Amino acid sequence: MVVFLITSLAVLASGCTKLSSYWSTVEKLVDKMTTEQKIGQMTQADGPQLCDGKEGSECVNSVVNSTKIDEYKLGSILIGGNAVPDSEGHIFSDFKNHTLFLEGTFQNWKDFASRLNKPIKVGEFSIYPLLGTDAVHGNQHVVGQPLFPHNIGMSCSHNPANFYNAGFHTQASVKATGWNFAFAPTVAVSHNFFWGRHYETMGAEYEHIDKYAKQYALGLQQDNGNGLEGVLSSVKHFIGDGATFHGIDEGNDTVSNFANFLEVNYRGYAGGKSACMGNVMVSYSAINNIAMSINGALIDGVLKNGIYDGVPFEGFAISDYDAIGKVANQGWPTTNIHMSVFDSIVNIINAGVDMLMLASTNGQITPEFFQSNVMEALNSGAIKMERINDAVKRILGVKCAMG
């Protein structure tokens, strides 16, 4: 059942917590952390990577081992778009077997979250992980929870309150099941209906998208001006995912005039900034043959330092699922640039991505593999400790705002 405008929330939220206000406190904590703990905070492991057995994208014959959270010192854990946990710690992702998805009850998701919500200790401090879930049309993984129309449908209403309401009710459901990081909203502009995911966009009328994005982020985060009472929103996918040539998914944007490009495609991120969004997810797509995951001019320059709009982004940037493998091996129609997995990790982090989303579908890039490669890059000077410290500061600043 699709539920739209469950409750009319007449007064839209307007709080905005300045995330940088936590940085001076957080920097003292970062100074106390080991290098391993810092790299751990930059790691978002896929749930099945914590299984006792090696089963790829599932944990059918084994269960998630929560001691691995401390072993890898994880900053975050996700459950992928097709995954469903049960109360015993298994993870199913066989989407052809529809009966497995009936395991995704409210209580099972809540019980599974309690298995994962284990803190990392740094002296007297306890740092809890961010627990991430796709929640793009409501808390759609959980049986019986409210669903909302696609973004393009809500955009047709020209009513920002619809986006706020969707965010509000989504965060209430996600938070009640023990999760705290929603991979939403998508703020892409619809340039080409050949793109099979154009329904995820906020439409072609880009002049409205900043208002929609702001209200969606406010609805999700429930910012009271002194912290976030809802869940962390992830405004995505930075940038140009809806503007690829011929609408090819994960394709390439050909841009000759960046002022015009940003005028149209940056609106959602400007709206997110005005809501003090805590996270931005970077796109798989490329711009002028450069994969967005390694585009430091846009991630570090335009987004974080605000060289386009004069407004710095104070949250943290996260990669999309298995972006490391994508950058190393993706090829056309995204880009013809290939590189080693080590160089992919180095270039993604140096471009300004603070947390790397790993994938159980990539058996090579495990948490151990990723963390050892970051350590090697630090030891060789390919990544500087200042860059690591900035990433961890941003991640912990958001966690502090979340309480």
Side-chain angles (χ1 to χ4, degrees):
M1 179 177 66
V2 175
V3 180
F4 189 40
L5 287 177
I6 300 176
T7 303
S8 178
L9 304 175
V11 180
L12 301 186
S14 59
C16 193
T17 298
K18 191 169 179 59
L19 297 171
S20 60
S21 66
Y22 296 97
W23 286 356
S24 60
T25 299
V26 162
E27 284 170 342
K28 297 173 185 176
L29 179 57
V30 174
D31 287 342
K32 297 178 181 180
M33 296 173 73
T34 66
T35 301
E36 291 80 5
Q37 289 171 332
K38 294 176 183 179
I39 297 173
Q41 287 301 300
M42 297 174 66
T43 309
Q44 185 180 67
D46 195 1
Q49 292 177 320
L50 308 181
C51 292
D52 281 325
K54 302 292 184 182
E55 302 182 50
S57 61
E58 295 189 306
C59 289
V60 176
N61 300 313
S62 60
V63 297
V64 165
N65 184 347
S66 60
T67 64
K68 292 188 177 184
I69 298 169
D70 184 65
E71 178 184 343
Y72 304 140
K73 301 168 177 53
L74 294 176
S76 185
I77 305 154
L78 80 137
I79 292 294
N82 292 324
V84 177
D86 69 8
S87 61
E88 297 177 354
H90 300 99
I91 301 174
F92 306 103
S93 62
D94 181 6
F95 59 89
K96 295 179 182 178
N97 186 349
H98 67 276
T99 60
L100 291 178
F101 286 86
L102 297 179
E103 292 285 346
T105 63
F106 186 96
Q107 191 61 48
N108 280 357
W109 273 93
K110 188 172 183 178
D111 290 345
F112 196 76
S114 68
R115 286 177 173 268
L116 302 178
N117 197 28
K118 308 298 182 185
I120 306 303
K121 300 290 289 186
V122 179
E124 70 274 23
F125 297 97
S126 296
I127 304 174
Y128 284 84
L130 295 169
L131 303 182
T133 179
D134 276 314
V136 291
H137 309 298
N139 193 14
Q140 74 265 11
H141 284 151
V142 182
V143 175
Q145 294 303 291
L147 299 180
F148 296 88
H150 289 300
N151 282 351
I152 201 165
M154 291 196 292
S155 296
C156 291
S157 72
H158 294 103
N159 185 357
N162 288 340
F163 289 93
Y164 179 84
N165 289 341
F168 175 84
H169 292 290
T170 297
Q171 67 82 28
S173 174
V174 170
K175 189 173 181 180
T177 54
W179 298 72
N180 58 12
F181 189 3
F183 301 147
T186 298
V187 297
V189 181
S190 182
H191 290 269
N192 193 319
F193 286 108
F194 284 109
W195 186 31
R197 295 170 62 185
H198 75 272
Y199 55 83
E200 293 186 19
T201 74
M202 289 188 170
E205 297 174 310
Y206 65 89
E207 62 271 19
H208 301 298
I209 291 178
D210 54 345
K211 298 186 288 289
Y212 301 157
K214 177 179 180 178
Q215 292 304 324
Y216 210 139
L218 287 171
L220 283 169
Q221 294 194 159
Q222 291 300 295
D223 194 328
N224 63 17
N226 293 298
L228 311 185
E229 296 181 341
V231 300
L232 178 63
S233 69
S234 183
V235 181
K236 62 183 187 177
H237 304 85
F238 188 78
I239 184 174
D241 47 339
T244 61
F245 177 72
H246 270 315
I248 296 171
D249 193 35
E250 302 177 18
N252 181 56
D253 300 10
T254 301
V255 179
S256 58
N257 186 319
F258 270 93
N260 288 347
F261 175 81
L262 292 172
E263 168 66 18
V264 173
N265 295 285
Y266 192 74
R267 292 295 184 98
Y269 303 97
K273 283 182 179 181
S274 68
C276 293
M277 61 186 177
N279 180 256
V280 167
M281 188 182 296
V282 179
S283 179
Y284 286 137
S285 56
I287 295 179
N288 294 341
N289 203 29
I290 304 297
M292 265 310 307
S293 296
I294 59 173
N295 196 323
L298 289 170
I299 300 171
D300 196 49
V302 170
L303 177 66
K304 287 185 166 182
N305 292 317
I307 63 173
Y308 170 69
D309 58 356
V311 181
F313 169 54
E314 297 181 350
F316 70 93
I318 190 170
S319 78
D320 207 336
Y321 194 73
D322 192 29
I324 298 169
K326 293 276 190 180
V327 168
N329 303 305
Q330 194 164 22
W332 287 118
T334 307
T335 174
N336 64 353
I337 299 173
H338 296 267
M339 63 189 71
S340 68
V341 171
F342 176 81
D343 286 340
S344 175
I345 291 171
V346 169
N347 286 322
I348 291 172
I349 292 174
N350 284 341
V353 177
D354 304 300
M355 182 179 284
L356 281 292
M357 187 188 296
L358 307 186
S360 57
T361 53
N362 189 327
Q364 178 189 12
I365 306 173
T366 61
E368 306 102 305
F369 179 93
F370 167 68
Q371 293 178 354
S372 66
N373 273 263
V374 177
M375 186 68 76
E376 180 182 343
L378 275 168
N379 291 336
S380 69
I383 298 174
K384 304 299 184 186
M385 183 57 76
E386 291 79 6
R387 172 70 196 101
I388 300 295
N389 288 343
D390 178 69
V392 178
K393 174 190 75 177
R394 288 172 173 273
I395 294 165
L396 295 186
V398 169
K399 289 186 177 184
C400 281
M402 295 174 71

